[in-house]
RNA sequence: GACCCGUUCGUCUAGCGGUUAGGACUCCGCCCUUUCACGGCGGCAACACGGGUUCGAGUCCCGUACGGGUCGCCA
Protein backbone atom coordinates (compact mmCIF):
# COMPACT_ATOMS: atom_id res chain seq x y z
CA UNK A 1 0.00 0.00 0.00
CA UNK A 2 1.66 3.22 -1.11
CA UNK A 3 2.17 5.85 1.55
CA UNK A 4 0.92 9.34 0.95
CA UNK A 5 3.37 11.55 -0.94
CA UNK A 6 6.64 9.99 0.03
CA UNK A 7 9.55 12.33 -0.52
CA UNK A 8 13.08 11.28 0.38
CA UNK A 9 16.39 12.94 -0.16
CA UNK A 10 20.09 12.30 -0.21
CA UNK A 11 21.94 15.33 1.12
CA UNK A 12 25.70 14.93 0.72
CA UNK A 13 28.28 17.61 1.20
CA UNK A 14 30.83 17.86 -1.60
CA UNK A 15 33.92 17.57 0.54
CA UNK A 16 35.42 14.30 -0.69
CA UNK A 17 34.58 11.54 -3.09
CA UNK A 18 31.35 9.58 -2.86
CA UNK A 19 32.03 6.73 -0.51
CA UNK A 20 30.17 3.45 -0.39
CA UNK A 21 28.35 4.37 2.80
CA UNK A 22 26.94 7.48 1.20
CA UNK A 23 26.13 5.59 -1.95
CA UNK A 24 24.17 3.05 0.05
CA UNK A 25 22.28 5.79 1.87
CA UNK A 26 21.40 7.35 -1.47
CA UNK A 27 20.35 3.97 -2.79
CA UNK A 28 18.07 3.26 0.16
CA UNK A 29 16.40 6.64 -0.15
CA UNK A 30 15.93 6.08 -3.85
CA UNK A 31 14.53 2.59 -3.33
CA UNK A 32 12.17 3.69 -0.60
CA UNK A 33 10.80 6.54 -2.69
CA UNK A 34 10.34 4.26 -5.68
CA UNK A 35 8.69 1.61 -3.54
CA UNK A 36 6.00 4.09 -2.58
CA UNK A 37 5.76 5.91 -5.90
CA UNK A 38 7.32 8.90 -4.21
CA UNK A 39 9.97 11.40 -5.14
CA UNK A 40 13.68 11.16 -4.53
CA UNK A 41 15.52 14.46 -4.17
CA UNK A 42 19.24 15.11 -4.42
CA UNK A 43 20.30 18.13 -2.43
CA UNK A 44 23.88 19.32 -2.26
CA UNK A 45 24.77 20.61 1.19
CA UNK A 46 27.57 22.95 0.22
CA UNK A 47 27.43 25.44 3.06
CA UNK A 48 31.04 24.92 4.09
CA UNK A 49 32.84 27.06 1.52
CA UNK A 50 36.25 26.14 2.85
CA UNK A 51 35.89 22.41 2.30
CA UNK A 52 33.71 22.18 -0.77
CA UNK A 53 35.23 21.28 -4.10
CA UNK A 54 33.69 21.05 -7.52
CA UNK A 55 35.48 17.73 -8.05
CA UNK A 56 33.63 16.31 -5.07
CA UNK A 57 30.39 17.64 -6.44
CA UNK A 58 31.05 15.97 -9.79
CA UNK A 59 32.01 12.74 -8.04
CA UNK A 60 28.65 12.64 -6.28
CA UNK A 61 26.67 13.28 -9.43
CA UNK A 62 28.69 10.91 -11.58
CA UNK A 63 28.80 8.23 -8.92
CA UNK A 64 25.07 8.22 -8.41
CA UNK A 65 24.42 8.26 -12.12
CA UNK A 66 26.79 5.36 -12.61
CA UNK A 67 25.00 3.37 -9.91
CA UNK A 68 21.70 4.01 -11.63
CA UNK A 69 20.22 6.17 -8.89
CA UNK A 70 18.00 8.77 -10.51
CA UNK A 71 16.74 11.84 -8.74
CA UNK A 72 13.48 13.48 -9.73
CA UNK A 73 14.59 16.78 -8.25
CA UNK A 74 18.09 18.07 -7.79
CA UNK A 75 21.11 19.24 -9.76
CA UNK A 76 20.26 19.25 -13.42
CA UNK A 77 16.63 18.38 -12.74
CA UNK A 78 14.47 21.36 -11.90
CA UNK A 79 11.72 20.93 -9.39
CA UNK A 80 9.24 23.01 -7.46
CA UNK A 81 11.44 23.41 -4.39
CA UNK A 82 14.78 24.39 -5.88
CA UNK A 83 17.45 25.48 -6.04
CA UNK A 84 19.00 22.25 -4.82
CA UNK A 85 22.35 23.66 -3.83
CA UNK A 86 22.30 25.09 -0.34
CA UNK A 87 24.81 27.73 -1.35
CA UNK A 88 22.02 29.20 -3.48
CA UNK A 89 19.37 29.20 -0.78
CA UNK A 90 20.65 31.87 1.61
CA UNK A 91 17.52 34.02 1.24
CA UNK A 92 15.35 31.18 2.38
CA UNK A 93 17.52 30.56 5.43
CA UNK A 94 17.60 34.26 6.27
CA UNK A 95 13.84 34.40 6.15
CA UNK A 96 13.46 31.33 8.36
CA UNK A 97 15.93 32.76 10.80
CA UNK A 98 13.86 35.91 11.10
CA UNK A 99 10.94 33.73 12.16
CA UNK A 100 13.02 32.27 14.95
CA UNK A 101 14.12 35.74 15.94
CA UNK A 102 10.50 36.85 16.22
CA UNK A 103 9.66 33.95 18.48
CA UNK A 104 12.81 34.57 20.49
CA UNK A 105 14.21 31.10 19.81
CA UNK A 106 17.64 32.43 18.91
CA UNK A 107 20.17 34.86 20.29
CA UNK A 108 23.50 36.34 19.33
CA UNK A 109 26.72 35.17 20.89
CA UNK A 110 30.02 36.70 19.79
CA UNK A 111 28.65 37.43 16.35
CA UNK A 112 27.26 33.94 15.88
CA UNK A 113 23.63 33.02 16.29
CA UNK A 114 22.62 30.28 18.67
CA UNK A 115 19.41 28.31 18.83
CA UNK A 116 17.79 28.06 22.23
CA UNK A 117 17.27 24.35 22.86
CA UNK A 118 14.10 23.33 24.70
CA UNK A 119 14.40 22.55 28.40
CA UNK A 120 12.12 19.57 27.99
CA UNK A 121 12.64 16.02 26.89
CA UNK A 122 12.49 15.45 23.11
CA UNK A 123 11.06 12.10 22.11
CA UNK A 124 10.71 10.43 18.75
CA UNK A 125 10.44 6.96 17.33
CA UNK A 126 13.17 5.97 14.93
CA UNK A 127 11.89 3.53 12.32
CA UNK A 128 14.95 1.37 12.81
CA UNK A 129 16.44 2.21 16.19
CA UNK A 130 13.17 2.46 18.10
CA UNK A 131 11.97 5.05 20.63
CA UNK A 132 14.46 7.74 21.59
CA UNK A 133 14.30 10.38 24.25
CA UNK A 134 16.80 13.10 25.03
CA UNK A 135 16.99 16.36 26.94
CA UNK A 136 19.26 18.63 24.94
CA UNK A 137 19.63 21.25 27.65
CA UNK A 138 21.13 18.64 29.95
CA UNK A 139 22.89 16.33 27.54
CA UNK A 140 24.30 19.21 25.52
CA UNK A 141 25.71 21.05 28.49
CA UNK A 142 28.79 18.87 28.69
CA UNK A 143 31.30 18.01 26.02
CA UNK A 144 34.30 15.73 25.89
CA UNK A 145 37.69 17.27 25.42
CA UNK A 146 39.63 14.41 23.89
CA UNK A 147 42.96 16.15 24.20
CA UNK A 148 42.52 16.89 27.86
CA UNK A 149 40.67 13.64 28.43
CA UNK A 150 37.97 15.24 30.50
CA UNK A 151 34.53 16.73 30.31
CA UNK A 152 34.08 20.44 29.90
CA UNK A 153 31.13 22.75 30.36
CA UNK A 154 29.58 23.82 27.12
CA UNK A 155 26.64 25.76 25.80
CA UNK A 156 23.85 23.38 24.78
CA UNK A 157 22.40 26.07 22.52
CA UNK A 158 24.02 25.20 19.23
CA UNK A 159 25.15 27.69 16.61
CA UNK A 160 23.13 27.91 13.44
CA UNK A 161 24.81 30.88 11.79
CA UNK A 162 28.44 31.89 11.72
CA UNK A 163 29.56 35.44 12.38
CA UNK A 164 30.21 35.81 8.64
CA UNK A 165 26.53 35.20 7.99
CA UNK A 166 26.83 31.66 6.61
CA UNK A 167 24.50 29.01 7.99
CA UNK A 168 25.34 25.68 9.57
CA UNK A 169 24.29 22.12 8.94
CA UNK A 170 21.58 21.53 11.53
CA UNK A 171 19.63 24.60 10.52
CA UNK A 172 19.88 24.38 6.74
CA UNK A 173 19.25 20.68 6.81
CA UNK A 174 16.00 21.14 8.69
CA UNK A 175 14.87 24.21 6.77
CA UNK A 176 15.37 22.41 3.49
CA UNK A 177 13.63 19.27 4.68
CA UNK A 178 10.67 21.46 5.55
CA UNK A 179 10.77 23.48 2.35
CA UNK A 180 11.28 20.41 0.17
CA UNK A 181 8.50 18.61 1.99
CA UNK A 182 10.66 15.64 2.89
CA UNK A 183 8.52 12.92 4.44
CA UNK A 184 11.14 10.33 5.38
CA UNK A 185 14.72 10.84 6.40
CA UNK A 186 16.91 7.78 5.89
CA UNK A 187 20.48 8.49 6.84
CA UNK A 188 23.48 6.99 8.55
CA UNK A 189 23.35 6.12 12.21
CA UNK A 190 25.99 8.76 12.84
CA UNK A 191 23.11 11.22 12.63
CA UNK A 192 20.97 9.57 15.27
CA UNK A 193 22.42 11.80 17.96
CA UNK A 194 21.66 14.88 15.87
CA UNK A 195 18.02 14.05 15.45
CA UNK A 196 16.80 15.61 18.69
CA UNK A 197 18.32 18.92 17.62
CA UNK A 198 16.63 18.63 14.29
CA UNK A 199 13.27 17.89 15.84
CA UNK A 200 13.64 20.91 18.11
CA UNK A 201 14.23 23.02 15.01
CA UNK A 202 11.29 21.51 13.15
CA UNK A 203 9.04 22.37 16.04
CA UNK A 204 10.47 25.85 16.50
CA UNK A 205 9.75 26.47 12.84
CA UNK A 206 6.21 25.23 13.25
CA UNK A 207 6.71 22.14 11.13
CA UNK A 208 5.90 18.51 11.76
CA UNK A 209 9.09 16.45 11.72
CA UNK A 210 9.40 13.73 9.10
CA UNK A 211 9.80 10.05 9.88
CA UNK A 212 13.36 9.19 10.78
CA UNK A 213 15.19 5.97 10.01
CA UNK A 214 18.84 5.66 10.88
CA UNK A 215 20.65 2.93 9.06
CA UNK A 216 23.69 1.18 10.54
CA UNK A 217 27.11 2.03 9.20
CA UNK A 218 29.40 0.19 6.83
CA UNK A 219 32.70 -0.86 8.36
CA UNK A 220 35.92 -2.21 6.94
CA UNK A 221 36.45 -5.94 6.76
CA UNK A 222 38.39 -5.83 10.02
CA UNK A 223 35.64 -3.92 11.79
CA UNK A 224 37.36 -0.57 11.76
CA UNK A 225 35.74 2.55 10.50
CA UNK A 226 35.91 2.84 6.75
CA UNK A 227 38.06 5.76 5.81
CA UNK A 228 39.07 7.40 2.59
CA UNK A 229 42.33 5.51 2.39
CA UNK A 230 40.74 2.09 2.21
CA UNK A 231 40.53 0.36 -1.16
CA UNK A 232 36.94 0.15 -2.17
CA UNK A 233 35.84 3.02 0.04
CA UNK A 234 35.16 5.29 -2.90
CA UNK A 235 32.59 4.50 -5.52
CA UNK A 236 34.85 5.56 -8.38
CA UNK A 237 37.17 2.68 -7.57
CA UNK A 238 34.50 0.17 -8.62
CA UNK A 239 34.06 1.75 -12.00
CA UNK A 240 37.82 1.82 -12.52
CA UNK A 241 38.21 -1.79 -11.46
CA UNK A 242 35.59 -2.94 -13.91
CA UNK A 243 32.63 -3.61 -11.69
CA UNK A 244 29.13 -3.47 -13.09
CA UNK A 245 26.92 -0.86 -11.44
CA UNK A 246 24.07 -3.36 -11.15
CA UNK A 247 26.30 -5.70 -9.16
CA UNK A 248 27.63 -2.99 -6.87
CA UNK A 249 24.14 -1.69 -6.28
CA UNK A 250 22.94 -5.21 -5.53
CA UNK A 251 25.80 -5.79 -3.10
CA UNK A 252 25.30 -2.45 -1.37
CA UNK A 253 21.62 -3.20 -0.92
CA UNK A 254 22.52 -6.46 0.80
CA UNK A 255 24.51 -4.56 3.41
CA UNK A 256 21.92 -3.81 6.02
CA UNK A 257 18.96 -4.95 4.01
CA UNK A 258 17.74 -8.39 3.07
CA UNK A 259 14.79 -9.82 1.19
CA UNK A 260 14.24 -12.13 4.19
CA UNK A 261 14.60 -15.19 2.04
CA UNK A 262 17.63 -16.87 0.50
CA UNK A 263 17.86 -14.75 -2.60
CA UNK A 264 20.96 -12.66 -3.08
CA UNK A 265 21.03 -11.78 -6.72
CA UNK A 266 18.19 -9.36 -7.14
CA UNK A 267 17.44 -6.74 -9.75
CA UNK A 268 16.78 -3.16 -8.77
CA UNK A 269 13.10 -3.73 -9.49
CA UNK A 270 12.93 -6.77 -7.26
CA UNK A 271 14.64 -4.91 -4.46
CA UNK A 272 12.35 -1.95 -4.92
CA UNK A 273 9.27 -4.08 -4.56
CA UNK A 274 10.48 -5.55 -1.29
CA UNK A 275 12.14 -2.50 0.18
CA UNK A 276 10.79 -1.49 3.55
CA UNK A 277 11.91 -0.63 7.06
CA UNK A 278 11.24 -4.04 8.50
CA UNK A 279 13.72 -5.49 6.03
CA UNK A 280 16.47 -3.26 7.36
CA UNK A 281 19.03 -4.44 9.87
CA UNK A 282 20.01 -2.79 13.08
CA UNK A 283 23.68 -3.67 13.26
CA UNK A 284 26.71 -2.38 11.40
CA UNK A 285 27.93 -4.37 8.44
CA UNK A 286 31.49 -5.04 7.36
CA UNK A 287 32.33 -4.62 3.75
CA UNK A 288 33.41 -7.89 2.12
CA UNK A 289 35.16 -7.13 -1.13
CA UNK A 290 35.47 -10.84 -1.93
CA UNK A 291 31.74 -11.29 -1.94
CA UNK A 292 31.24 -8.13 -3.92
CA UNK A 293 33.65 -9.50 -6.53
CA UNK A 294 31.83 -12.81 -6.60
CA UNK A 295 28.53 -11.07 -7.17
CA UNK A 296 30.09 -9.03 -9.94
CA UNK A 297 31.34 -12.23 -11.55
CA UNK A 298 27.81 -13.56 -11.50
CA UNK A 299 26.54 -10.47 -13.26
CA UNK A 300 29.33 -10.56 -15.83
CA UNK A 301 28.71 -14.21 -16.61
CA UNK A 302 25.03 -13.47 -17.20
CA UNK A 303 25.74 -10.74 -19.74
CA UNK A 304 24.81 -11.37 -23.39
CA UNK A 305 28.02 -11.85 -25.39
CA UNK A 306 27.52 -8.68 -27.38
CA UNK A 307 27.19 -6.60 -24.27
CA UNK A 308 30.06 -8.36 -22.58
CA UNK A 309 32.35 -7.54 -25.48
CA UNK A 310 31.18 -3.96 -25.57
CA UNK A 311 32.04 -3.52 -21.91
CA UNK A 312 35.21 -5.62 -21.94
CA UNK A 313 37.00 -4.20 -24.99
CA UNK A 314 38.11 -0.99 -23.23
CA UNK A 315 39.82 -3.12 -20.61
CA UNK A 316 41.57 -5.40 -23.12
CA UNK A 317 43.79 -3.17 -25.20
CA UNK A 318 43.87 -4.42 -28.76
CA UNK A 319 43.04 -8.05 -28.04
CA UNK A 320 40.99 -9.96 -30.62
CA UNK A 321 37.33 -10.24 -29.73
CA UNK A 322 37.43 -14.02 -29.99
CA UNK A 323 40.01 -14.09 -27.19
CA UNK A 324 38.15 -11.56 -25.06
CA UNK A 325 34.99 -13.62 -25.32
CA UNK A 326 36.77 -16.60 -23.78
CA UNK A 327 37.32 -14.72 -20.55
CA UNK A 328 33.67 -14.04 -19.79
CA UNK A 329 33.00 -17.04 -17.54
CA UNK A 330 36.31 -16.56 -15.74
CA UNK A 331 36.57 -12.97 -14.64
CA UNK A 332 35.03 -11.30 -11.62
CA UNK A 333 35.97 -7.80 -12.66
CA UNK A 334 36.96 -6.47 -16.07
CA UNK A 335 40.45 -5.55 -14.97
CA UNK A 336 41.15 -9.27 -14.61
CA UNK A 337 40.79 -9.79 -18.35
CA UNK A 338 44.42 -9.17 -19.14
CA UNK A 339 45.70 -11.83 -16.83
CA UNK A 340 43.62 -14.38 -18.73
CA UNK A 341 44.56 -12.90 -22.09
CA UNK A 342 48.31 -12.78 -21.55
CA UNK A 343 48.90 -16.55 -21.90
CA UNK A 344 47.02 -16.48 -25.20
CA UNK A 345 48.58 -13.39 -26.70
CA UNK A 346 52.06 -13.32 -25.22
CA UNK A 347 54.45 -15.78 -26.89
CA UNK A 348 56.94 -15.23 -24.11
CA UNK A 349 54.51 -15.74 -21.25
CA UNK A 350 56.70 -17.25 -18.54
CA UNK A 351 55.82 -20.71 -17.35
CA UNK A 352 54.59 -20.62 -13.80
CA UNK A 353 56.54 -22.75 -11.36
CA UNK A 354 53.46 -24.62 -10.19
CA UNK A 355 52.31 -25.35 -13.73
CA UNK A 356 55.76 -26.49 -14.68
CA UNK A 357 55.98 -29.06 -11.94
CA UNK A 358 52.54 -30.38 -12.78
CA UNK A 359 53.78 -31.20 -16.25
CA UNK A 360 56.91 -32.88 -14.99
CA UNK A 361 54.82 -35.05 -12.69
CA UNK A 362 53.05 -36.48 -15.72
CA UNK A 363 55.82 -36.50 -18.27
CA UNK A 364 59.08 -38.35 -17.66
CA UNK A 365 60.74 -37.14 -20.83
CA UNK A 366 60.08 -35.05 -23.90
CA UNK A 367 59.11 -37.85 -26.26
CA UNK A 368 55.35 -37.74 -25.81
CA UNK A 369 55.17 -33.98 -26.00
CA UNK A 370 57.43 -33.83 -29.03
CA UNK A 371 55.24 -36.38 -30.74
CA UNK A 372 52.15 -34.33 -29.86
CA UNK A 373 53.80 -31.28 -31.31
CA UNK A 374 54.55 -33.28 -34.43
CA UNK A 375 50.96 -34.41 -34.82
CA UNK A 376 49.65 -30.92 -34.25
CA UNK A 377 52.07 -29.54 -36.81
CA UNK A 378 50.78 -32.00 -39.37
CA UNK A 379 47.14 -31.05 -38.89
CA UNK A 380 45.72 -30.20 -42.32
CA UNK A 381 43.24 -27.73 -40.85
CA UNK A 382 43.57 -25.83 -37.59
CA UNK A 383 40.28 -26.42 -35.85
CA UNK A 384 38.97 -28.12 -32.75
CA UNK A 385 38.33 -31.40 -34.54
CA UNK A 386 41.85 -31.63 -35.94
CA UNK A 387 43.45 -30.65 -32.66
CA UNK A 388 41.53 -33.38 -30.86
CA UNK A 389 42.56 -35.84 -33.54
CA UNK A 390 46.21 -34.99 -33.03
CA UNK A 391 45.80 -35.48 -29.28
CA UNK A 392 44.10 -38.83 -29.73
CA UNK A 393 46.70 -40.08 -32.18
CA UNK A 394 49.48 -39.19 -29.80
CA UNK A 395 47.68 -40.77 -26.88
CA UNK A 396 47.12 -43.96 -28.78
CA UNK A 397 50.72 -44.13 -29.85
CA UNK A 398 51.95 -43.91 -26.27
CA UNK A 399 49.11 -45.93 -24.76
CA UNK A 400 47.83 -43.19 -22.49
CA UNK A 401 44.46 -41.57 -22.02
CA UNK A 402 43.99 -38.43 -24.12
CA UNK A 403 43.06 -36.54 -20.99
CA UNK A 404 46.59 -37.02 -19.70
CA UNK A 405 47.90 -34.86 -22.48
CA UNK A 406 45.63 -31.92 -21.88
CA UNK A 407 47.53 -30.30 -19.07
CA UNK A 408 50.98 -30.63 -20.66
CA UNK A 409 49.54 -29.30 -23.89
CA UNK A 410 47.97 -26.39 -22.10
CA UNK A 411 51.12 -25.49 -20.23
CA UNK A 412 53.48 -25.79 -23.18
CA UNK A 413 51.16 -23.84 -25.46
CA UNK A 414 50.16 -21.09 -23.04
CA UNK A 415 52.55 -21.27 -20.11
CA UNK A 416 49.89 -21.75 -17.46
CA UNK A 417 47.83 -24.59 -16.07
CA UNK A 418 44.84 -22.36 -15.48
CA UNK A 419 43.52 -20.70 -18.55
CA UNK A 420 40.75 -20.22 -20.98
CA UNK A 421 38.96 -23.07 -22.73
CA UNK A 422 41.83 -24.88 -24.44
CA UNK A 423 40.56 -25.78 -27.93
CA UNK A 424 39.34 -22.31 -28.87
CA UNK A 425 42.42 -20.88 -27.21
CA UNK A 426 44.70 -22.96 -29.45
CA UNK A 427 42.65 -21.98 -32.48
CA UNK A 428 43.23 -18.33 -31.67
CA UNK A 429 46.95 -18.85 -31.09
CA UNK A 430 47.23 -20.56 -34.48
CA UNK A 431 49.04 -23.67 -35.59
CA UNK A 432 52.48 -22.28 -36.32
CA UNK A 433 52.64 -20.29 -33.11
CA UNK A 434 51.34 -23.17 -31.02
CA UNK A 435 53.95 -25.52 -32.41
CA UNK A 436 56.74 -22.98 -31.97
CA UNK A 437 55.75 -22.25 -28.41
CA UNK A 438 55.58 -25.95 -27.57
CA UNK A 439 59.00 -26.68 -29.04
CA UNK A 440 60.55 -23.87 -27.08
CA UNK A 441 58.90 -24.79 -23.79
CA UNK A 442 59.58 -28.50 -24.18
CA UNK A 443 63.23 -27.65 -24.61
CA UNK A 444 63.09 -25.68 -21.39
CA UNK A 445 61.33 -28.46 -19.52
CA UNK A 446 63.63 -31.23 -20.69
CA UNK A 447 66.94 -29.56 -21.38
CA UNK A 448 68.89 -32.84 -21.67
CA UNK A 449 66.70 -34.44 -24.29
C1' G B 1 33.96 10.36 30.50
C1' A B 2 28.47 11.05 29.43
C1' C B 3 24.60 9.73 26.27
C1' C B 4 22.83 6.66 22.22
C1' C B 5 22.82 2.21 18.89
C1' G B 6 24.22 -2.68 18.27
C1' U B 7 26.07 -8.20 19.28
C1' U B 8 23.70 -15.65 15.12
C1' C B 9 29.48 -19.44 11.37
C1' G B 10 35.92 -15.43 9.68
C1' U B 11 32.21 -12.10 6.60
C1' C B 12 26.94 -10.81 4.75
C1' U B 13 22.52 -12.74 6.64
C1' A B 14 17.51 -16.05 7.77
C1' G B 15 15.30 -16.85 12.41
C1' C B 16 10.68 -13.21 15.49
C1' G B 17 9.32 -19.06 22.70
C1' G B 18 9.62 -25.53 20.85
C1' U B 19 14.36 -25.66 14.23
C1' U B 20 19.09 -31.60 13.28
C1' A B 21 19.90 -23.07 14.02
C1' G B 22 18.81 -22.26 7.17
C1' G B 23 21.21 -19.63 2.87
C1' A B 24 25.49 -16.93 0.62
C1' C B 25 30.98 -15.46 0.21
C1' U B 26 35.80 -17.66 1.55
C1' C B 27 38.38 -22.47 2.39
C1' C B 28 38.54 -28.00 1.71
C1' G B 29 36.74 -32.68 -0.72
C1' C B 30 33.97 -35.19 -4.65
C1' C B 31 31.35 -35.12 -9.44
C1' C B 32 30.87 -32.94 -14.32
C1' U B 33 34.44 -31.37 -18.02
C1' U B 34 39.37 -35.75 -22.90
C1' U B 35 41.75 -29.45 -20.17
C1' C B 36 40.55 -24.81 -17.52
C1' A B 37 36.48 -22.12 -15.71
C1' C B 38 31.31 -22.33 -14.73
C1' G B 39 28.01 -25.60 -12.51
C1' G B 40 26.33 -29.68 -9.15
C1' C B 41 26.96 -32.38 -4.51
C1' G B 42 29.19 -32.58 0.28
C1' G B 43 32.33 -30.78 4.46
C1' C B 44 34.56 -27.22 8.18
C1' A B 45 32.33 -23.18 10.83
C1' A B 46 27.86 -19.30 14.80
C1' C B 47 23.49 -17.87 18.81
C1' A B 48 29.49 -12.71 23.27
C1' C B 49 29.08 -13.83 28.74
C1' G B 50 26.19 -14.06 33.40
C1' G B 51 21.61 -13.83 35.77
C1' G B 52 16.43 -14.05 35.46
C1' U B 53 11.00 -14.96 33.19
C1' U B 54 9.02 -19.67 31.20
C1' C B 55 7.30 -26.51 31.02
C1' G B 56 10.72 -24.68 27.32
C1' A B 57 14.96 -18.95 25.23
C1' G B 58 19.19 -17.46 19.57
C1' U B 59 14.25 -15.48 20.21
C1' C B 60 11.49 -11.77 26.24
C1' C B 61 13.80 -8.83 30.73
C1' C B 62 18.22 -7.13 33.60
C1' G B 63 23.43 -6.79 34.13
C1' U B 64 28.57 -7.35 32.21
C1' A B 65 31.89 -7.46 28.22
C1' C B 66 32.95 -6.09 23.40
C1' G B 67 32.04 -3.16 18.84
C1' G B 68 30.11 1.36 16.71
C1' G B 69 28.21 6.38 16.97
C1' U B 70 27.64 11.45 19.06
C1' C B 71 29.38 15.20 22.21
C1' G B 72 32.47 21.51 16.27
C1' C B 73 31.57 28.52 14.17
C1' C B 74 32.18 19.85 9.63
C1' A B 75 28.22 17.59 7.29
Amino acid sequence: MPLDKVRTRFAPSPTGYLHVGGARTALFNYLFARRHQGTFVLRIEDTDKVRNTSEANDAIIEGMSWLGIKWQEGPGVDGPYGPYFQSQRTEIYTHKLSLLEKSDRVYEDQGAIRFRVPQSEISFVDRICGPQSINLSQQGSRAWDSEEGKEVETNPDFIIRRPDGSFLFHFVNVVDDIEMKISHVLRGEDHLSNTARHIALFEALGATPPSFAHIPLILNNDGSKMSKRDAGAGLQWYEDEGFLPEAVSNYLALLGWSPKDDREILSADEITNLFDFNHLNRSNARFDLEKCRWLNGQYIAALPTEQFLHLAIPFAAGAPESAIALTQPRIQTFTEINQWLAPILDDEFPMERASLSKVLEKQKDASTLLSLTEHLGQAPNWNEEQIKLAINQTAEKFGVKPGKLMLPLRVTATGTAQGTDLMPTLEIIGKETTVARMRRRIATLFPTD
Side-chain angles (χ1 to χ4, degrees):
Chain A
M1 178 168 58
L3 301 172
D4 195 39
K5 281 187 195 166
V6 165
R7 290 178 59 84
T8 63
R9 47 70 165 180
F10 177 52
S13 66
T15 54
Y17 54 66
L18 181 59
H19 59 89
V20 292
R24 189 193 57 165
T25 302
L27 178 65
F28 283 6
N29 276 283
Y30 168 70
L31 290 167
F32 184 74
R34 278 221 317 178
R35 166 79 175 84
H36 297 287
Q37 287 100 55
T39 303
F40 171 62
V41 180
L42 175 60
R43 181 175 77 222
I44 305 295
E45 305 220 330
D46 54 349
T47 54
D48 188 348
K49 293 189 195 76
V50 181
R51 299 179 195 206
N52 295 159
T53 66
S54 61
E55 292 76 24
N57 184 68
D58 294 347
I60 290 164
I61 297 199
E62 282 165 20
M64 287 180 59
S65 302
W66 181 75
L67 255 193
I69 302 175
K70 301 176 193 70
W71 51 98
Q72 284 90 57
E73 294 173 31
V77 191
D78 268 341
Y81 308 109
Y84 295 93
F85 289 89
Q86 290 187 327
S87 57
Q88 297 167 20
R89 298 174 63 81
T90 308
E91 283 175 35
I92 297 166
Y93 307 136
T94 305
H95 171 68
K96 289 289 180 182
L97 178 62
S98 71
L99 265 33
L100 294 183
E101 280 165 345
K102 275 181 199 147
S103 57
D104 196 34
R105 297 301 303 268
V106 294
Y107 61 92
E108 197 190 312
D109 178 20
Q110 298 181 331
I113 293 179
R114 286 185 186 271
F115 175 74
R116 239 184 266 284
V117 302
Q119 300 296 307
S120 55
E121 199 85 3
I122 295 171
S123 299
F124 65 99
V125 178
D126 188 273
R127 300 295 293 268
I128 294 170
C129 302
Q132 310 289 318
S133 190
I134 187 172
N135 188 320
L136 287 173
S137 62
Q138 288 170 12
Q139 191 46 231
S141 66
R142 250 165 304 184
W144 180 247
D145 186 329
S146 54
E147 285 187 12
E148 295 291 320
K150 63 177 185 187
E151 285 193 335
V152 293
E153 290 284 311
T154 187
N155 189 344
D157 298 334
F158 54 94
I159 294 174
I160 63 175
R161 199 184 76 173
R162 298 183 181 91
D164 71 0
S166 61
F167 292 91
L168 258 17
F169 165 69
H170 296 303
F171 184 66
V172 295
N173 189 266
V174 167
V175 167
D176 284 347
D177 282 347
I178 294 170
E179 293 296 292
M180 296 180 183
K181 297 188 165 31
I182 300 304
S183 64
H184 297 260
V185 172
L186 278 80
R187 62 197 349 178
E189 200 189 87
D190 48 339
H191 284 296
L192 183 60
S193 304
N194 289 328
T195 306
R197 287 196 181 86
H198 295 176
I199 287 174
L201 281 168
F202 273 104
E203 285 166 356
L205 289 163
T208 306
S211 274
F212 289 97
H214 289 88
I215 55 182
L217 273 17
I218 299 178
L219 271 31
N220 281 320
N221 202 253
D222 64 359
S224 63
K225 192 180 173 184
M226 194 173 252
S227 77
K228 297 191 167 89
R229 286 178 288 288
D230 300 307
L235 200 63
Q236 181 66 43
W237 184 84
Y238 296 87
E239 189 175 352
D240 296 343
E241 279 294 302
F243 281 81
L244 292 170
E246 296 81 5
V248 174
S249 166
N250 189 160
Y251 180 73
L252 248 24
L254 255 21
L255 248 30
W257 175 88
S258 115
K260 301 293 181 193
D261 56 31
D262 290 340
R263 281 178 297 169
E264 293 200 303
I265 299 176
L266 299 112
S267 70
D269 283 342
E270 288 175 299
I271 294 173
T272 300
N273 290 332
L274 292 169
F275 194 84
D276 227 324
F277 292 122
N278 56 7
H279 286 233
L280 285 166
N281 260 134
R282 294 145 288 280
S283 52
N284 293 346
R286 301 180 186 204
F287 196 95
D288 186 358
L289 197 51
E290 276 306 311
K291 186 154 184 176
C292 187
R293 296 172 65 86
W294 169 79
L295 196 58
N296 200 59
Q298 298 289 311
Y299 273 81
I300 287 179
L303 247 26
T305 307
E306 280 301 301
Q307 204 185 341
F308 171 76
L309 287 172
H310 174 71
L311 292 164
I313 285 168
F315 288 89
E321 288 191 8
S322 55
I324 296 173
L326 293 180
T327 67
Q328 184 173 5
R330 285 163 173 75
I331 60 170
Q332 293 193 317
T333 64
F334 285 111
T335 48
E336 290 174 3
I337 281 186
N338 289 304
Q339 72 197 51
W340 292 94
L341 249 27
I344 307 176
L345 304 176
D346 180 6
D347 285 340
E348 305 299 322
F349 190 82
M351 270 190 290
E352 296 156 353
R353 181 178 286 273
S355 308
L356 196 144
S357 48
K358 276 182 193 167
V359 176
L360 293 174
E361 277 171 26
K362 293 189 166 68
Q363 303 294 321
K364 297 287 179 260
D365 56 48
S367 57
T368 313
L369 281 171
L370 285 172
S371 172
L372 177 59
T373 312
E374 195 79 3
H375 280 110
L376 287 167
Q378 286 163 3
N381 293 303
W382 192 246
N383 56 37
E384 181 163 343
E385 195 186 337
Q386 292 291 325
I387 295 168
K388 282 184 176 176
L389 186 63
I391 294 169
N392 289 338
Q393 285 172 342
T394 310
E396 199 174 329
K397 185 172 163 188
F398 287 86
V400 297
K401 286 183 180 172
K404 288 276 184 191
L405 299 178
M406 296 300 277
L407 182 84
L409 170 58
R410 176 183 282 285
V411 173
T412 50
T414 68
T416 178
Q418 291 195 327
T420 45
D421 200 16
L422 190 55
M423 298 308 157
T425 298
L426 293 179
E427 286 187 68
I428 291 165
I429 293 171
K431 185 167 85 170
E432 305 308 324
T433 308
T434 300
V435 167
R437 285 184 185 184
M438 288 178 71
R439 289 227 164 87
R440 184 176 58 75
R441 290 203 174 100
I442 290 166
T444 311
L445 282 164
F446 304 100
T448 53
D449 292 11

